[in-house]
Amino acid sequence: MRAAVRTPARGAAVVGLIAALAVPATAAVAVTPVAAVPPGLSCDTGKHAIDDYTGYALCRNNGSTTQTFWVHLVCGWSPDVDGERVTLRPGASGQSTAHCAGLGSGIGEIHVRP
């Protein structure tokens, strides 16, 4: 008699656990890329048009001194990655790109780092 009572309870616990684990994964996928731009730079960030795992930061140096920046991708389940460092003279533009590992959930956030 006890086995009949335990089985539905275990099934309900497993379903509840699966539902609880599914919420964070869904939330991570739904995050929109955002950019924190260092002072003196104006940047556009985004995902590659046909590859949700590749992100970029296209920046212009509006300041009066040389600046270095790079793109930083928050990659969900995979380790975060940094793009190549780009040094810009005043008035110059450049782009940094990075690629999240294919095993993860793709890009969750995009940041520009000084």
Side-chain angles (χ1 to χ4, degrees):
M1 183 82 169
R2 284 187 167 196
V5 173
R6 284 186 191 165
T7 304
R10 284 184 193 160
V14 170
V15 170
L17 178 61
I18 291 170
L21 292 175
V23 171
T26 304
V29 173
V31 173
T32 326
V34 296
V37 180
L41 294 175
S42 60
C43 300
D44 290 320
T45 61
K47 294 180 185 179
H48 189 275
I50 59 172
D51 181 6
D52 283 342
Y53 292 85
T54 300
Y56 67 87
L58 175 61
C59 298
R60 177 177 172 80
N61 183 351
N62 295 324
S64 58
T65 60
T66 300
Q67 293 199 42
T68 299
F69 77 94
W70 62 92
V71 68
H72 174 80
L73 304 180
V74 177
C75 296
W77 297 346
S78 297
D80 297 350
V81 292
D82 290 328
E84 67 279 4
R85 280 148 175 76
V86 178
T87 301
L88 300 176
R89 296 180 321 275
S93 297
Q95 179 173 311
S96 176
T97 60
H99 186 80
C100 291
L103 298 174
S105 56
I107 298 170
E109 294 180 4
I110 301 173
H111 298 273
V112 180
R113 299 282 170 90

